[in-house]
Amino acid sequence: MSDAAPRPKENMGEPFPRIDARLKVTGQAPYPADAPIANLAYGTFAVSSIARGKINAIDIEPAKAVPGVLAVFTHREMAGQLEHPKFGNAAASSIAPLDTTDILHDGQPLALVIAETFEASQEAAQAIRVDYATEQPSATFDAQGTEIVAAKEASEQFEEDVAAGDFETAFAAAPVTVDQRYSTPTQHHNPIELFSTTAVWDGDGLTVHEPSQNVTGWKVELARQLRMEPEKVRIVSRYIGGAFGSKGPMTSRTAIVAWAAKNVGQPVRCVVSREQSYMTQTYRAETRHHIRMGADRDGRITAFAHEGWEVTSRPDPYVVGGTSTTGRMYDYGSVLTKVSIVKADRNTPGYMRSPPETPYVYALENAMDEMAVALNMDPVEFRRVNDTQVEPIGKKPFSSRSLMTCYDQAAEAFGWKERNAAVGSMRDGDWLIGMGCATAIYPTNVAPCTVRLRLNADGGLRLQCGSHEIGTGVRTIAAQMASERLGIPMDKIEVEMGDSSLPPAPVSGGSVSTASVCSAVIKGCDSIRGKLFGAVASADGPLKGAEPATLDMKDGAVTARDGRSMPMKDAFVAMKTGVIEDYAEFAPDGATPEAVSKLYGGQSEMKGGEKGEKVKYAFGAEFVEVRINTRTREVRVPRIVGAFAAGRIMNTRTARSQLMGGMIWGISSALHEVTEIDPRAARYVNRDLQDYLVPVNADIRDLQVILVPEVDMDVNPAGVKGLGELGNVGTAAAIASAVYHATGKRIRDLPIRLETLLT
């Protein structure tokens, strides 16, 4: 991998080190399960060993006999005690596991044991015995008993099946066609930090320490489930050890642990085991795709159809739904899309880094490569021929689209011109060499956000925002924006985040945080500037009579263009105050008048992507080299290059880190990751990091990230497009393309492993 972050370029922010880096590397960052709590009890869940059926009887006496056990809660104690989770807002699922004898999925919580020690709670949970009335479950696609429902009919989350023109006629007339099916498997989050809940009551007030990407949303939803006022609930999540969507929606565990803590009369901490996280958290839904594409002999696409199917749980219509993006990706002559969900006896899936784009773009970009082969065209040139500045559905212009610039820069760095296009023509001893490329795309989102700022006479600034440090560096980036607007050194800025008692911010998902937080910081800082400059311009002193619009802040002073200046502390004297405070509310263009009040109510009103007069996306191009052993069919990725255009880059160091991580995850998705499912029992088989495969350092060799300068002020006041989820979108398809180039074998179903190349 490249050994240094790139230096700033046009519209590129400084690669400032993370302000919380020392805390993290020295183990001082306070993660939720580390919170020091007095008189703490420990909880462990007992979970079902079947995927469908009912509880005939549950014997908790062996658990109660374990020394140190304080309580055991089952449906007998908890039925009716909580409001059911409300799927579709901040809740991961509508399943209320300890409210019923029904078993809806493998690993459904059946009991919560509370004990004086963690070890005692574990032992007691394992001692619980359950008698089941077992029913035959439906595990996945093609299983008997599944239900297929059109996404547009089943879910409010899914807005439409996009279409344009007469696809069937255009496809029938196309001289060159591709008609293929693709699939992606179930994949599970495996963040380093395990999932946990620590519930502490103080009278009728509740504080929950839990890793969360949505502290305000959780506060509101948890209060609803516990039948209490949101003002009485506080969610604290200052640092998160990996999330990637898994800690966005709140699971049913949180309310159960909080209720248990109140009933045992002391704080309770429940840390979910790695194995149980596979069954009680969300995951990436498995998908199937049917793509039909027609093109003229000159390579222009005339017809594109994308139909997708996705597995979800019985009660919850969770939809991935990536056709809104794939249907707008190129200059198709006509478009037809449809998405269906397949209800099975599984826990509800959820968000996982680039939730719609990762599986849907994999299918599209695979088909693009197949069409390029059918046309005998270079894959890059095929994409260039079909590049567009106007999307094909609503004929809206893109706010900016630097896709081919990304391809040009990545291709040059990768050495694409050295590629011999003939399949199987490149090798090094026993290793076949393949080269492939693919497009990365992610919608540019922005949402309402609020901040509170407090500027002191000594030039220090406190910035408070209820956003979340999920590892992206948003604390640092928010400080950088404030430093830029107020001329304050970074070491004079204190940033507080990750607490529902702070001014609310949107869920940290959809690559929305940097754009939203920075836009709110801009508004708040500009308000402070206005207050300060107006005061010093009207007060006696060296800046009296100056036009406020001509003033600036730099090096601890207020300065004028004519050279006059006033030390910051004197400016505060002129204002007759020791502090300047401001609370700022930002709402993006197109937001409803209620957007900020809805934010306080736990709802993030996101804008961007195809919404609005212009279509707003970030783009990238990824190139990979694969090497496949001719004897063993072992697959290696020795080189990968990605070039990405994502508007203003606030911090080139953190941006590069995010994109690098995304590309590595893309390699993982292509070659390693799959959650194996027993089709007879609808149970996950590989529920730990011994059997769930992910890359290690030896798997990642030469990785290069190129940040392409791009200016786009249509997206939001900060000019930020967001890129945390962009990096892993195109990787798997680029690898599949390279595997075909090396072997002539087209792998359409992920993951690509040596056994798939041996058949």
Side-chain angles (χ1 to χ4, degrees), residues 362-412:
Y362 169 72
L364 167 59
E365 287 298 284
N366 238 341
M368 289 291 288
D369 195 69
E370 296 203 52
M371 179 59 84
V373 171
L375 291 164
N376 196 28
M377 285 186 71
D378 179 89
V380 176
E381 291 309 306
F382 177 51
R383 289 170 173 86
R384 192 185 308 277
V385 166
N386 292 286
D387 191 33
T388 179
Q389 295 300 315
V390 178
E391 57 86 21
I393 305 300
K395 304 302 181 182
K396 299 178 184 179
F398 288 92
S399 61
S400 60
R401 180 181 168 109
S402 304
L403 176 60
M404 295 318 301
T405 304
C406 291
Y407 266 103
D408 291 341
Q409 293 193 21
E412 177 67 24

Side-chain angles (χ1 to χ4, degrees), residues 491-758:
D491 60 5
K492 299 282 284 184
I493 300 175
E494 176 189 0
V495 181
E496 295 181 18
M497 288 185 173
D499 191 326
S500 65
S501 66
L502 300 175
V507 57
S508 290
S511 295
V512 74
S513 291
T514 297
S516 306
V517 172
C518 285
S519 294
V521 170
I522 288 172
K523 191 171 182 179
C525 288
D526 287 356
S527 178
I528 284 180
R529 288 165 59 95
K531 293 176 182 178
L532 182 62
F533 296 163
V536 299
S538 60
D540 290 335
L543 296 177
K544 185 175 182 179
E547 285 293 330
T550 68
L551 300 179
D552 204 351
M553 298 170 69
K554 185 178 181 181
D555 299 329
V558 180
T559 63
R561 293 175 187 170
D562 58 12
R564 291 181 291 166
S565 68
M566 174 185 286
M568 186 79 75
K569 56 184 178 181
D570 292 345
F572 274 82
V573 171
M575 292 190 68
K576 300 180 181 180
T577 182
V579 297
I580 304 175
E581 294 185 316
D582 193 81
Y583 162 79
E585 297 179 346
F586 163 74
D589 290 342
T592 65
E594 303 81 25
V596 173
S597 63
K598 288 165 65 176
L599 180 64
Y600 274 90
Q603 300 179 45
S604 298
E605 191 179 289
M606 288 194 188
K607 297 297 178 183
E610 68 281 357
K611 300 181 179 71
E613 296 180 358
K614 294 183 179 181
V615 178
K616 302 166 185 177
Y617 283 91
F619 289 92
E622 299 189 30
F623 289 75
V624 298
E625 175 188 319
V626 302
R627 296 196 170 210
I628 300 172
N629 192 281
T630 56
R631 301 174 187 272
T632 67
R633 287 323 210 203
E634 174 187 356
V635 185
R636 292 288 181 184
V637 180
R639 291 194 302 133
I640 178 169
V641 176
F644 305 94
R648 181 178 184 185
I649 305 300
M650 287 297 304
N651 183 314
T652 54
R653 183 191 300 257
T654 58
R656 176 182 178 275
S657 176
Q658 286 293 295
L659 292 165
M660 181 176 66
M663 292 163 71
I664 292 171
W665 199 340
I667 294 172
S668 183
S669 178
L671 302 179
H672 301 269
E673 290 189 59
V674 57
T675 305
E676 305 286 356
I677 303 163
D678 183 339
R680 301 161 301 176
R683 302 193 71 196
Y684 302 128
V685 177
N686 53 335
R687 297 179 288 191
D688 54 52
L689 287 174
Q690 173 178 298
D691 298 315
Y692 187 93
L693 304 181
V694 295
V696 297
N697 284 347
D699 294 306
I700 308 301
R701 307 293 179 86
D702 183 2
L703 189 156
Q704 183 180 357
V705 173
I706 300 170
L707 299 174
V708 176
E710 183 180 62
V711 177
D712 187 341
M713 296 311 297
D714 285 328
V715 290
N716 51 69
V720 170
K721 281 190 169 183
L723 50 69
E725 298 178 272
L726 178 63
N728 63 320
V729 172
T731 318
I735 290 174
S737 169
V739 167
Y740 172 80
H741 178 232
T743 66
K745 188 175 181 64
R746 182 69 66 178
I747 307 299
R748 301 184 179 94
D749 306 314
L750 292 181
I752 303 169
R753 292 181 175 172
L754 61 86
E755 59 266 28
T756 61
L757 292 169
L758 285 169

Side-chain angles (χ1 to χ4, degrees), residues 15 129 145 165-166 185 192 241 252 257 335 343 350 396 415 427 471 552 605 609 731-732 747:
R129 297 292 175 259
D166 185 348
I192 295 174
S252 60
V257 173
V335 179
K343 296 190 173 187
K396 299 178 184 179
R427 64 186 299 159
D552 204 351
E605 191 179 289
T731 318
I747 307 299

Side-chain angles (χ1 to χ4, degrees), residues 284 318 320-323 325 352-361 442:
R284 192 189 294 284
Y318 175 79
V320 180
T323 52
T325 298
M352 190 169 181
R353 199 171 190 172
S354 346
E357 284 70 27
T358 292
Y360 276 79
V361 171
Y442 198 76

Side-chain angles (χ1 to χ4, degrees), residues 117-163:
T117 66
F118 174 66
E119 292 78 9
S121 70
Q122 280 194 313
E123 179 183 348
Q126 293 169 3
I128 292 174
R129 297 292 175 259
V130 184
D131 177 42
Y132 300 103
T134 304
E135 301 174 19
Q136 181 60 44
S138 303
T140 183
F141 294 118
D142 303 327
Q144 185 175 359
T146 56
E147 180 186 0
I148 302 176
V149 184
K152 66 180 181 180
E153 298 173 3
S155 174
E156 295 179 357
Q157 294 176 327
F158 186 78
E159 295 185 0
E160 61 175 341
D161 290 315
V162 297

